[in-house]
Amino acid sequence: LKLLTVQNLFKYYCISELYKIIKFRCPYTIYNCIKVSPRESSLNIILPVKSNTFLYRASTFWNSIHKQILSSTHGLRTSMNLIKLRTKTTILETQSKDDADLWSPNNFNLCPTVHCKT
């Protein structure tokens, strides 16, 4: 069975909704608050002030996973279905790390240690 935990389901929906907001610029009031990095090849979001808001949390999740889920040739033209599939696959891979009988922080860390820059 390939089910996401509640924590990871939250991440999945945050990433999906943020992608829709960036791609379709709707709702515009939220889109207007998102600051994408001015670097040409980067789609990193410049994080707002640290808080427990959707914008901050979703941006954090997005920055840790967007290079894995966006098509390198299509960027923001990547289909929504492909984004959802890749996001779920990536989160499920992360969730299934470590021991299957015990949960650890690694099961909820979107960014693999090898690729993260801390």
Side-chain angles (χ1 to χ4, degrees):
L1 224 64
K2 295 185 177 186
L3 297 174
L4 293 172
T5 63
V6 174
Q7 297 95 319
N8 286 332
L9 195 58
F10 173 72
K11 292 173 186 175
Y12 170 81
Y13 279 109
C14 282
I15 292 164
S16 299
E17 291 302 314
L18 188 65
Y19 178 71
K20 283 192 267 185
I21 292 167
I22 294 170
K23 181 175 181 156
F24 301 116
R25 299 178 183 198
C26 184
Y28 190 74
T29 52
I30 296 176
Y31 171 77
N32 207 25
C33 296
I34 298 171
K35 306 287 184 242
V36 178
S37 174
R39 293 182 184 161
E40 191 174 310
S41 62
S42 173
L43 284 172
N44 280 336
I45 295 175
I46 298 170
L47 295 176
V49 175
K50 187 175 182 176
S51 62
N52 200 22
T53 62
F54 165 78
L55 192 56
Y56 179 80
R57 304 275 308 271
S59 298
T60 303
F61 301 147
W62 173 262
N63 285 346
S64 64
I65 198 174
H66 77 277
K67 290 180 182 174
Q68 297 167 328
I69 62 173
L70 287 176
S71 175
S72 60
T73 56
H74 294 105
L76 290 177
R77 292 178 297 159
T78 305
S79 75
M80 193 64 220
N81 288 337
L82 190 55
I83 291 295
K84 287 181 176 183
L85 176 68
R86 288 179 177 171
T87 301
K88 186 172 183 179
T89 302
T90 302
I91 292 173
L92 282 170
E93 286 173 3
T94 302
Q95 183 175 289
S96 63
K97 287 181 183 175
D98 293 343
D99 187 358
D101 297 328
L102 300 171
W103 291 105
S104 75
N106 287 337
N107 296 113
F108 305 104
N109 186 7
L110 275 180
C111 187
T113 313
V114 176
H115 302 298
C116 278
K117 292 180 181 173
T118 54

